[in-house]
Amino acid sequence: MRVTCLSFRRGAQRSRGFTLVEVLVALAIVAIALMAGVQATASLTRYAQRQSDMVLAQLCAENALVTVRLARQMPGVGDSTAACEQAGRNLSVSLVVRPTPNPNFRRVDAKVLDGDVPIWRLTTVVGRY
């Protein structure tokens, strides 16, 4: 009877707890889930920054084109660059004025750059006033 009792106790001790392999598998699953969460968070952060850059660049481009329209004179053909500060960011706006087949209109392209990286481009046609 003692032998049976000892084997019963050994069997009870073996069934308690987890094996090293089970713990390592659980840790691997948790690590994969955490990495997926980190990547998703980083992706959302990049997307939010890109959206912010685009909104600021759109403001700069629209301001440059409104300035051309408010001048109330036909813009001269050529290229120019102006600085634009929005929300503490220093962007540059490149204005390119080109003639059109109709001499009463000019095509004006506003390209917003962050350093050398283009962010936004906006085009309009300006007529004689």
Side-chain angles (χ1 to χ4, degrees):
M1 193 140 163
R2 280 188 145 197
V3 175
T4 308
C5 194
L6 286 176
S7 65
F8 175 72
R9 286 187 182 177
R10 284 185 189 163
Q13 288 175 350
R14 285 185 184 166
S15 66
R16 292 183 190 165
F18 298 102
T19 65
L20 180 61
V21 173
E22 292 171 334
V23 171
L24 290 176
V25 168
L27 283 174
I29 291 170
V30 169
I32 290 170
L34 287 174
M35 286 304 296
V38 167
Q39 287 179 351
T41 303
S43 177
L44 288 173
T45 302
R46 283 192 306 272
Y47 178 75
Q49 182 63 43
R50 177 73 177 146
Q51 286 298 104
S52 174
D53 290 347
M54 291 176 71
V55 167
L56 296 176
Q58 183 178 8
L59 287 171
C60 286
E62 288 177 356
N63 286 344
L65 294 180
V66 166
T67 301
V68 169
R69 285 190 200 112
L70 289 177
R72 296 242 177 231
Q73 58 184 336
M74 187 72 97
V77 175
D79 300 349
S80 64
T81 303
C84 178
E85 184 178 344
Q86 292 288 335
R89 303 259 331 261
N90 291 320
L91 304 171
S92 63
V93 180
S94 174
L95 285 177
V96 179
V97 180
R98 297 289 179 250
T100 62
N102 185 338
N104 292 320
F105 296 100
R106 300 267 165 87
R107 176 183 167 165
V108 182
D109 294 316
K111 186 163 72 169
V112 181
L113 305 165
D114 185 11
D116 292 334
V117 180
I119 300 175
W120 193 264
R121 173 176 273 169
L122 195 59
T123 302
T124 190
V125 176
V126 178
R128 277 192 208 279
Y129 289 99

